[in-house]
Amino acid sequence: MRAQKRKPRLAVWKFASCDGCQLSLLDCEDELLTVAGAVDIAYFQEATRGRIAGRYDLSLVEGSITTPHDAERIQDVRRRSHTLVTIGACATAGGIQALRNFADVAEYASIVYARPDYIDTLATSTAIADHVAVDFELRGCPISKHQLLEVVSAYLAGRRPVVPPHSVCVECKLRGNVCVMVAHGTPCLGPVTHAGCGAICPAYDRGCYGCYGPMETPNAASLSGRLGALGMDPGALTRVYRTFNANAPGFRAESERQKT
Ligand code: SF4
Ligand code: SF4
């Protein structure tokens, strides 16, 4: 009798994060049983206490590196993972907690904590790719469950995920949204923001605030000129690029240019 082929092992890891991206996997209500049937969920503490030790075929990593312990732990995750995919703004850009990268973390800790000497933290919050090799980065805060399913099924089929690198503007055109910036003068980061959300915010007449991070080759300097003409001063422009993806190179460089 032929031996049954082992199912691929999936692991989901958490670093500094809010768990929202992991919850996107649990949010795949209609598809979750199919996913669970195609893989062995070997490590996923948000969903189960069960744990299969050893090596993992596909690791999904949420969160950024903010402590010396996590800087070591991610090396272990990498060693035990055949394919490592980072999910969300925290894991791909350092997340909102990367605002510390523009400040003095010791001063922050002294203001926030009664006993800052108990806090063992790094001075920066950084993306997983700054520490180990990453096979694919999935953006968003939180990620799109449709894109997550595409990544998991692409892995199972042995192909690259189809995740377009174009801007939210293209998604607006595909959806038939009226451009909020042209029609209403509403500041919008859509022209420099990575697609994936389906242009939700402009569909409800508000500007994009960049939660999917910079698209491939963003021209943020050009957009800043337009946003300045709509009334945003350099302080406001600095802040608009410093949210969930403040440490992503495309947004960080423009925020620093505005700051000077
Ligand atoms: S990217 Fe956003 S939703 Fe995902 S873990 Fe970080 S803060 Fe939460
Ligand atoms: S439109 Fe922009 S801010 Fe709104 S969900 Fe999409 S990427 Fe995020």
Side-chain angles (χ1 to χ4, degrees):
M1 198 171 74
R2 189 180 295 173
Q4 222 179 6
K5 203 174 160 208
R6 165 176 90 72
K7 284 199 277 189
R9 283 186 180 161
L10 173 75
V12 184
W13 307 93
K14 173 185 164 66
F15 287 80
S17 60
C18 82
D19 289 23
C21 288
Q22 294 181 62
L23 289 174
S24 297
L25 184 55
L26 296 177
D27 198 28
C28 297
E29 289 137 358
D30 294 338
E31 304 86 357
L32 195 57
L33 289 178
T34 310
V35 172
V39 297
D40 264 339
I41 299 180
Y43 184 86
F44 188 4
Q45 288 199 317
E46 181 79 27
T48 169
R49 270 179 285 171
R51 174 177 182 174
I52 303 171
R55 289 184 57 80
Y56 304 97
D57 299 289
L58 174 62
S59 277
L60 303 176
V61 179
E62 175 197 83
S64 66
I65 302 299
T66 57
T67 66
H69 174 251
D70 277 356
E72 285 178 22
R73 191 162 63 95
I74 191 62
Q75 302 295 334
D76 182 50
V77 169
R78 177 65 270 188
R79 273 192 294 273
R80 294 206 275 141
S81 306
H82 179 266
T83 300
L84 190 153
V85 174
T86 50
I87 56 171
C90 296
T92 59
I96 195 91
Q97 57 273 30
L99 289 176
R100 70 168 67 181
N101 302 4
F102 304 91
D104 178 353
V105 77
E107 186 190 359
Y108 268 23
S110 71
I111 294 167
V112 173
Y113 297 101
R115 293 295 306 267
D117 49 313
Y118 285 3
I119 305 299
D120 184 16
T121 187
L122 296 171
T124 55
S125 170
T126 43
I128 300 297
D130 292 341
H131 298 263
V132 295
V134 168
D135 296 294
F136 192 79
E137 292 184 310
L138 192 58
R139 300 175 193 282
C141 179
I143 54 170
S144 143
K145 69 175 189 177
H146 304 293
Q147 289 195 330
L148 179 60
L149 285 169
E150 162 59 16
V151 167
V152 173
S153 38
Y155 165 73
L156 291 172
R159 60 171 173 80
R160 286 291 290 174
V162 180
V163 175
H166 55 231
S167 72
V168 168
C169 279
V170 176
E171 296 197 297
C172 269
K173 303 298 169 285
L174 291 169
R175 190 169 175 155
N177 287 345
V178 172
C179 176
V180 296
M181 198 145 60
V182 172
H184 311 299
T186 304
C188 180
L189 288 189
V192 295
T193 299
H194 199 287
C197 67
I200 300 172
C201 298
Y204 291 92
D205 275 345
R206 60 165 296 175
C208 167
Y209 49 92
C211 80
Y212 270 62
M215 62 175 293
E216 204 172 61
T217 63
N219 190 346
S222 172
L223 177 64
S224 293
R226 177 77 185 127
L227 296 176
L230 292 173
M232 292 180 79
D233 62 21
L237 286 167
T238 302
R239 287 190 296 278
V240 87
Y241 292 109
R242 288 188 182 173
T243 58
F244 316 91
N245 293 279
N247 206 45
F251 284 2
R252 179 178 183 128
E254 184 57 15
S255 78
E256 283 171 339
R257 197 177 74 86
Q258 292 297 331
K259 184 92 179 151
T260 52

